[in-house]
Amino acid sequence: MSESLTFHYNVDGEDFTSAGQASVQVKKNLRRLGIPPEIIRQVSIAMYEGEINMVIHAGGGDADVIVSEDKIEIILADHGPGIADIDLAMQEGYSTAPDSVRSLGFGAGMGLPNMKRYTDEMTIDSTVGVGTTIRMVVKLQ
Amino acid sequence: MTVKELCEKCGFTAVTLPESDREVRGCYIGDLLSWVMGRAEADEAWITIMSNINIVAVASLTDVACIILAEGVTLEDDVKNTAETKGINILMSGKAAYETALTISEFV
């Protein structure tokens, strides 16, 4: 693979029950490209957590997955409320998710920590009142 | 042991078995979905009492061998249909999560 390949998805902020469709589709596409299963697991879980966050907090957003020779890059961009304190948001167990979301099994404060856990690089660019862009990289050995 | 064999040996009810020949290696118990995604390993049996549609995506992404619904939890038809089409095995146990895990520990 000498050139990079980009998959783009719109994450629907209205439909909580369909959250995860983009991640499941990414998983299928990566499997077709012959990417190793453990890498696929890392990328798709990190992306699902991001997707869920966009649905819970930001009313949806855009997701791009860029596959190149040495890495897979995931870029998640939304126009939600932004994250006021990123260090606090990165702490396991910290969550601002509403009870309605918690009753579905989300909102445990593990989303951002899981995204970091499953990726080699992660940067969060967020402005309160403007939105959040998260860039994650999983290296291909 | 395969999911189908585990289902028969343990006396669970098969809710969906689109990939019944998958091997089960280990077990994870959890209801908080992000926690499950952070901790469950591929090919494990995932025991939960959660029954909403998101469990199908979590099972798919973590690549667990099957979901085992504990405490006799039942599923809505749309969840069942989605699991069938996404290739997710779901079993149902009438026992609590701990007892369900003890039962499968004899075989896994």
Side-chain angles (χ1 to χ4, degrees), chain A residues 25-119:
Chain A
Q25 191 58 47
V26 163
K27 186 181 172 182
K28 268 188 207 156
N29 290 346
L30 295 180
R31 194 181 279 164
R32 276 194 209 114
L33 291 173
I35 305 288
E38 187 48 38
I39 299 280
I40 295 178
R41 195 176 123 93
Q42 285 176 252
V43 170
S44 53
I45 290 177
M47 183 161 164
Y48 183 59
E49 291 285 15
E51 210 182 328
I52 291 292
N53 277 349
M54 288 200 287
V55 175
I56 295 174
H57 300 287
D62 289 291
D64 286 287
V65 177
I66 304 153
V67 184
S68 51
E69 202 169 354
D70 58 345
K71 65 179 185 291
I72 299 174
E73 203 175 346
I74 307 155
I75 299 167
L76 306 169
D78 69 57
H79 299 290
I83 303 169
D85 187 335
I86 292 175
D87 288 340
L88 187 60
M90 285 302 297
Q91 284 180 20
E92 286 195 4
Y94 178 80
S95 175
T96 57
D99 286 347
S100 58
V101 169
R102 290 172 197 260
S103 69
L104 292 172
F106 292 110
M110 292 292 289
L112 288 172
N114 271 352
M115 289 156 74
K116 191 169 176 62
R117 174 199 292 259
Y118 282 116
T119 56

Side-chain angles (χ1 to χ4, degrees), chain B residues 41-56:
Chain B
E41 303 281 339
D43 301 324
E44 286 182 332
W46 168 31
I47 302 174
T48 185
I49 53 165
M50 277 291 168
S51 59
N52 66 71
I53 187 102
N54 300 294
I55 63 172
V56 177

